[in-house]
Every structure is written in C-alpha cells, then in structure tokens.
Amino acid sequence: MFYQVRRITVKEGFSGQVVENFSNRGGLLAQRPGYIGRQILVKKVRRGEEEVMVMVQWESEEDWKNWEKSPEHIAGHKAKRAAGSEKPDYIIETSHDLYYVKG
C-alpha cells in the first residue's frame, strides 16, 4: 500500500475551511483503480497555527501516479488556474509527502 500525505498549516480558526475544501473533493478519486480511501486529520492545538493532514491511501504507487497523470486530475488543476484561484491567505505552509506501508 501507498499513502499520499498533504500537510497544510493554516492561521488559527481556518482548519475547518481546509477540511471542507478537501471533503468536497473525491468523487473522481473514488472511481480510480487502486484508490482505497482518504482520511482528513486535524491536529489538536490550544492556540496558534492549526494543521490539517490529508492522507490518501492507494493500492500502489503506480495507481497514484496514474491518477496524477490522468486527464481528470490535470483538467481540475487547469480549471483552478484558469479561474484565477490563488492560494488563500490563511494558508501558511503546505507540504506533500509519499509513504510506503511496510508493516
């Protein structure tokens, strides 16, 4: 198994917006061969920056790569750029990592 993990650090009070944005996606993902599921985690904090982690589970790295190269995925990104969609100002930092399940 294989995980694509996106970590998003946001200003205090905005983790719900990130969760909502990622919760509204996924219809196309669920139809992709090799897609297993998605979890959205919000780090517990008392004050300050908030962190959201989106973990997408795939059967294999190849399945994930096929999604990344798919016309549907590429079209979604092109549509965002065409609409002038910029990174919201409440996002402080993002990272993207890939993990293999080894145990």
Side-chain angles (χ1 to χ4, degrees):
M1 273 188 271
F2 184 80
Y3 277 90
Q4 171 196 22
V5 178
R6 186 171 307 276
R7 188 180 315 263
I8 303 126
T9 304
V10 298
K11 294 177 183 175
E12 185 174 2
F14 287 94
S15 62
Q17 179 67 39
V18 175
V19 170
E20 183 179 326
N21 289 344
F22 277 95
S23 294
N24 291 334
R25 300 178 188 174
L28 292 175
L29 271 180
Q31 300 169 21
R32 293 299 302 184
Y35 173 80
I36 296 173
R38 176 187 62 206
Q39 295 82 40
I40 302 172
L41 309 172
V42 178
K43 185 175 183 179
K44 182 178 178 180
V45 294
R46 292 178 187 250
R47 268 191 210 125
E49 299 171 350
E50 299 174 351
E51 184 179 281
V52 178
M53 189 161 43
V54 180
M55 300 180 0
V56 182
Q57 188 177 15
W58 296 92
E59 288 286 340
S60 69
E61 182 178 7
E62 184 176 339
D63 291 325
W64 169 73
K65 285 181 179 179
N66 288 336
W67 162 247
E68 290 288 311
K69 296 184 292 185
S70 72
E72 300 88 358
H73 185 249
I74 293 168
H77 282 279
K78 284 183 180 178
K80 273 187 181 177
R81 284 193 295 272
S85 181
E86 295 182 21
K87 179 177 87 168
D89 65 348
Y90 58 82
I91 294 180
I92 298 168
E93 181 179 12
T94 63
S95 67
H96 180 259
D97 298 296
L98 306 171
Y99 293 87
Y100 298 95
V101 176
K102 295 291 186 178

